Amino acid sequence: MANNAAIREATATLVAAFERYNADFRRVTKRTQRRFERQDWAKMQLDAVERIELYGRSVRAATSEVRSELGDDCENREVWSAIKGQFGTAIADRIDREFYQTFFSSVTRRIFRTVGVDPAIEFVAEDVTPSEYTLDQVRTRKYAVRGSLEFVFDEMLTDYRFGTAYRNTEKTVAYLAAELDAYCRTRRDTMLIRRIEMLATVFFRGTRAYLVGRLHGSGWESPLVIALRNSDEGIYADAVIVSTNDVSMLFGFTRSYFHADLEAVGPVVSFLRALLPQKPIAEIYTVLGRAKQGKTERYRHFFQHLAQSPMDDRFVHASGDKGMVMEVFTLPSYDVVFKLIRDRFAYPKTMSRQDVKDKYTLVFKHDRAGRLVDAQEFRRLEFSPDRFAPELLDALLTGCSKTCRLEDNRVIIDHLYIERRLAPLNLYLKDAAADSAKAATIDYGQAIRDLANSNIFAGDLLLKNFGVTRHGRVIFYDYDELCLVTECNFRALPQAQDDVDEMRADAWYYVGPNDIFPEQFVQFLGFAPELRTAFLEHHADLLDPDYWNALKSELENGVHRDVLPYATKSWIELVQPGLYRPAFRPTTSKRS
């Protein structure tokens, strides 16, 4: 067995490996402000991918280094138990120590290919609990409101400076003050702002920078997010977001990760939890770019819930139509679904298992534009067979035998994806009130449009492949036929030459593997007549190949289309319609 010196060396190696990863994470994150100032959106997206890939590379490098140091003892559990003890002591006083613990466990799970959990050689879910922080540990800027809000925002814009100047500081200040004044008047006449507290760190995502904080009044608090846009004329405030629901969606599970250079993550997570108490902590970690920590927290929270729930709360098939590629199940008392790739795909599906995994990887690295669910990948989980409905367990063991098996009275699942549970759109439309169904239908078309603007074509547009969130927002979640718009060949339907062609069951014309015929979309959706009418009133151009080819050409030429994660409504407009028109908001940019 390795001696104490070797154990100390391995411990130091792993502590240093995490700190290198964390430094590299911050190095990539720091570049974002410069990208924003230069409107360099293409490089910003490359940075996002680099940062996502960084964790896996760092774990692999640390694993290789410690293997070299430990030699034959690298797979000795007693050695790793000793390393774990020393590692825990070494990081006991570190801020964000749960990140160190998760990194350590990633290494040991890679070495031992652990099934379930092994408390002797990894920090299990109960150990990796988020550190407790008080809100006064968060680095913020506080602004007392003693008179005009314009004085406050003038001071604030002085504090938050960029390499690009504000387009018109005086007008920006006036806009921010007027928006907050109007917001207060929409709530109640006596709603006065006493203090504004903002996180010192600027949050970046896509083409926007965000100042994130909260309003304090007498007996009330509200989130405050200011969205900043960098145009060719300079930076200006694009929106003032104060609704808890709107801020929650900004930090939601369908959004790409923020780039915010945080010296310590935990205190900021605590601050955001205070703003958004209904938001799962796993989602906050994830949207801050700490996807692995988000997975750890989701695992911890779910298995705690499972242990406390009654035994008759069993896994069952998820509601909705049965998929050809995935077996999908859920726990009724918990708001996620579990997705396993089937062993074989029914006709006409022709992709391989690896093709499906590649689609999920694409989503993980791509701008999700608020319309794609963040699917977290898990490996080698174990459950009690008693927690499964018999018909579900039979379906998993027979239809997903490559990844699911029964071993020593345990259900072992080698690979699955976990996503937030949504109401399938086709079922939602059957039960929803007329106004809600119409709104969801219109938003379904907008979801297709938003995805297309981010260079994603959903592929299979059937309603069953989309879900509805608790906010009524339509989200796409079936990725097996998803592809890039720039990979598609959008064609008009050829005209039949005679009645024989017209009556053929199959297409009489050649259809290539990437050919798409937009005119056919609406034929297969199964909309009720009134919903079909609503869809066509708002989105008839989605059935026109010219629309798609024009968009494809823009994307190929480097035109960036904004998909805003917030509504562009003005609070001033709500108070005095017609008084104020929003500032110029260009929707495309050729900067790359």
Side-chain angles (χ1 to χ4, degrees), residues 226-239:
I226 299 171
L228 300 176
R229 172 78 164 97
N230 186 11
S231 71
D232 291 340
E233 296 81 22
I235 295 173
Y236 63 89
D238 194 40

PDB file of all heavy atoms in Angstrom, residues 226-239:
ATOM      1  N   ILE A 226     -31.080  44.752 -15.040  1.00  0.00           N
ATOM      2  CA  ILE A 226     -30.982  45.732 -16.116  1.00  0.00           C
ATOM      3  C   ILE A 226     -30.218  45.088 -17.269  1.00  0.00           C
ATOM      4  O   ILE A 226     -29.068  44.658 -17.095  1.00  0.00           O
ATOM      5  CB  ILE A 226     -30.263  47.013 -15.656  1.00  0.00           C
ATOM      6  CG1 ILE A 226     -31.038  47.677 -14.510  1.00  0.00           C
ATOM      7  CG2 ILE A 226     -30.073  47.985 -16.817  1.00  0.00           C
ATOM      8  CD1 ILE A 226     -30.290  48.815 -13.845  1.00  0.00           C
ATOM      9  N   ALA A 227     -30.884  44.956 -18.409  1.00  0.00           N
ATOM     10  CA  ALA A 227     -30.247  44.372 -19.592  1.00  0.00           C
ATOM     11  C   ALA A 227     -29.594  45.479 -20.403  1.00  0.00           C
ATOM     12  O   ALA A 227     -30.225  46.497 -20.715  1.00  0.00           O
ATOM     13  CB  ALA A 227     -31.290  43.647 -20.435  1.00  0.00           C
ATOM     14  N   LEU A 228     -28.323  45.286 -20.742  1.00  0.00           N
ATOM     15  CA  LEU A 228     -27.561  46.271 -21.512  1.00  0.00           C
ATOM     16  C   LEU A 228     -27.226  45.712 -22.891  1.00  0.00           C
ATOM     17  O   LEU A 228     -26.779  44.564 -23.010  1.00  0.00           O
ATOM     18  CB  LEU A 228     -26.263  46.628 -20.785  1.00  0.00           C
ATOM     19  CG  LEU A 228     -26.408  47.241 -19.387  1.00  0.00           C
ATOM     20  CD1 LEU A 228     -25.043  47.445 -18.766  1.00  0.00           C
ATOM     21  CD2 LEU A 228     -27.182  48.551 -19.437  1.00  0.00           C
ATOM     22  N   ARG A 229     -27.455  46.535 -23.903  1.00  0.00           N
ATOM     23  CA  ARG A 229     -27.191  46.168 -25.289  1.00  0.00           C
ATOM     24  C   ARG A 229     -26.054  47.015 -25.820  1.00  0.00           C
ATOM     25  O   ARG A 229     -26.024  48.228 -25.577  1.00  0.00           O
ATOM     26  CB  ARG A 229     -28.459  46.410 -26.124  1.00  0.00           C
ATOM     27  CG  ARG A 229     -28.279  46.263 -27.638  1.00  0.00           C
ATOM     28  CD  ARG A 229     -28.252  44.789 -28.001  1.00  0.00           C
ATOM     29  NE  ARG A 229     -28.458  44.597 -29.420  1.00  0.00           N
ATOM     30  CZ  ARG A 229     -27.487  44.425 -30.323  1.00  0.00           C
ATOM     31  NH1 ARG A 229     -26.224  44.470 -29.958  1.00  0.00           N
ATOM     32  NH2 ARG A 229     -27.783  44.216 -31.591  1.00  0.00           N
ATOM     33  N   ASN A 230     -25.110  46.399 -26.514  1.00  0.00           N
ATOM     34  CA  ASN A 230     -24.021  47.142 -27.142  1.00  0.00           C
ATOM     35  C   ASN A 230     -24.314  47.272 -28.635  1.00  0.00           C
ATOM     36  O   ASN A 230     -24.227  46.303 -29.381  1.00  0.00           O
ATOM     37  CB  ASN A 230     -22.684  46.438 -26.926  1.00  0.00           C
ATOM     38  CG  ASN A 230     -21.509  47.259 -27.443  1.00  0.00           C
ATOM     39  OD1 ASN A 230     -21.672  48.431 -27.767  1.00  0.00           O
ATOM     40  ND2 ASN A 230     -20.348  46.635 -27.516  1.00  0.00           N
ATOM     41  N   SER A 231     -24.690  48.451 -29.058  1.00  0.00           N
ATOM     42  CA  SER A 231     -24.966  48.713 -30.468  1.00  0.00           C
ATOM     43  C   SER A 231     -23.773  49.432 -31.083  1.00  0.00           C
ATOM     44  O   SER A 231     -22.811  49.785 -30.392  1.00  0.00           O
ATOM     45  CB  SER A 231     -26.218  49.589 -30.597  1.00  0.00           C
ATOM     46  OG  SER A 231     -25.946  50.909 -30.145  1.00  0.00           O
ATOM     47  N   ASP A 232     -23.840  49.673 -32.375  1.00  0.00           N
ATOM     48  CA  ASP A 232     -22.751  50.384 -33.040  1.00  0.00           C
ATOM     49  C   ASP A 232     -22.618  51.815 -32.521  1.00  0.00           C
ATOM     50  O   ASP A 232     -21.570  52.444 -32.670  1.00  0.00           O
ATOM     51  CB  ASP A 232     -22.985  50.400 -34.551  1.00  0.00           C
ATOM     52  CG  ASP A 232     -22.824  49.022 -35.169  1.00  0.00           C
ATOM     53  OD1 ASP A 232     -22.180  48.170 -34.529  1.00  0.00           O
ATOM     54  OD2 ASP A 232     -23.349  48.793 -36.273  1.00  0.00           O
ATOM     55  N   GLU A 233     -23.698  52.349 -31.910  1.00  0.00           N
ATOM     56  CA  GLU A 233     -23.656  53.702 -31.360  1.00  0.00           C
ATOM     57  C   GLU A 233     -23.232  53.737 -29.896  1.00  0.00           C
ATOM     58  O   GLU A 233     -23.096  54.812 -29.305  1.00  0.00           O
ATOM     59  CB  GLU A 233     -25.026  54.383 -31.497  1.00  0.00           C
ATOM     60  CG  GLU A 233     -25.481  54.597 -32.936  1.00  0.00           C
ATOM     61  CD  GLU A 233     -26.096  53.341 -33.533  1.00  0.00           C
ATOM     62  OE1 GLU A 233     -26.548  52.468 -32.748  1.00  0.00           O
ATOM     63  OE2 GLU A 233     -26.107  53.223 -34.769  1.00  0.00           O
ATOM     64  N   GLY A 234     -23.060  52.566 -29.275  1.00  0.00           N
ATOM     65  CA  GLY A 234     -22.683  52.517 -27.873  1.00  0.00           C
ATOM     66  C   GLY A 234     -23.636  51.654 -27.068  1.00  0.00           C
ATOM     67  O   GLY A 234     -24.592  51.084 -27.588  1.00  0.00           O
ATOM     68  N   ILE A 235     -23.384  51.574 -25.760  1.00  0.00           N
ATOM     69  CA  ILE A 235     -24.172  50.718 -24.863  1.00  0.00           C
ATOM     70  C   ILE A 235     -25.381  51.496 -24.362  1.00  0.00           C
ATOM     71  O   ILE A 235     -25.288  52.683 -24.041  1.00  0.00           O
ATOM     72  CB  ILE A 235     -23.306  50.253 -23.681  1.00  0.00           C
ATOM     73  CG1 ILE A 235     -22.165  49.344 -24.188  1.00  0.00           C
ATOM     74  CG2 ILE A 235     -24.144  49.518 -22.632  1.00  0.00           C
ATOM     75  CD1 ILE A 235     -21.154  48.974 -23.129  1.00  0.00           C
ATOM     76  N   TYR A 236     -26.508  50.812 -24.296  1.00  0.00           N
ATOM     77  CA  TYR A 236     -27.711  51.432 -23.729  1.00  0.00           C
ATOM     78  C   TYR A 236     -28.511  50.370 -22.979  1.00  0.00           C
ATOM     79  O   TYR A 236     -28.312  49.161 -23.167  1.00  0.00           O
ATOM     80  CB  TYR A 236     -28.584  52.089 -24.817  1.00  0.00           C
ATOM     81  CG  TYR A 236     -29.137  51.133 -25.842  1.00  0.00           C
ATOM     82  CD1 TYR A 236     -30.367  50.499 -25.652  1.00  0.00           C
ATOM     83  CD2 TYR A 236     -28.445  50.872 -27.018  1.00  0.00           C
ATOM     84  CE1 TYR A 236     -30.872  49.630 -26.598  1.00  0.00           C
ATOM     85  CE2 TYR A 236     -28.945  50.009 -27.961  1.00  0.00           C
ATOM     86  CZ  TYR A 236     -30.170  49.381 -27.749  1.00  0.00           C
ATOM     87  OH  TYR A 236     -30.669  48.509 -28.689  1.00  0.00           O
ATOM     88  N   ALA A 237     -29.410  50.819 -22.122  1.00  0.00           N
ATOM     89  CA  ALA A 237     -30.269  49.902 -21.365  1.00  0.00           C
ATOM     90  C   ALA A 237     -31.405  49.437 -22.256  1.00  0.00           C
ATOM     91  O   ALA A 237     -32.174  50.244 -22.776  1.00  0.00           O
ATOM     92  CB  ALA A 237     -30.806  50.598 -20.124  1.00  0.00           C
ATOM     93  N   ASP A 238     -31.502  48.146 -22.421  1.00  0.00           N
ATOM     94  CA  ASP A 238     -32.490  47.547 -23.322  1.00  0.00           C
ATOM     95  C   ASP A 238     -33.774  47.176 -22.602  1.00  0.00           C
ATOM     96  O   ASP A 238     -34.834  47.122 -23.216  1.00  0.00           O
ATOM     97  CB  ASP A 238     -31.881  46.298 -23.969  1.00  0.00           C
ATOM     98  CG  ASP A 238     -32.671  45.809 -25.158  1.00  0.00           C
ATOM     99  OD1 ASP A 238     -33.137  46.649 -25.941  1.00  0.00           O
ATOM    100  OD2 ASP A 238     -32.815  44.579 -25.307  1.00  0.00           O
ATOM    101  N   ALA A 239     -33.692  46.885 -21.318  1.00  0.00           N
ATOM    102  CA  ALA A 239     -34.884  46.484 -20.565  1.00  0.00           C
ATOM    103  C   ALA A 239     -34.600  46.589 -19.078  1.00  0.00           C
ATOM    104  O   ALA A 239     -33.458  46.452 -18.624  1.00  0.00           O
ATOM    105  CB  ALA A 239     -35.302  45.058 -20.916  1.00  0.00           C
TER     106      ALA A 239
END
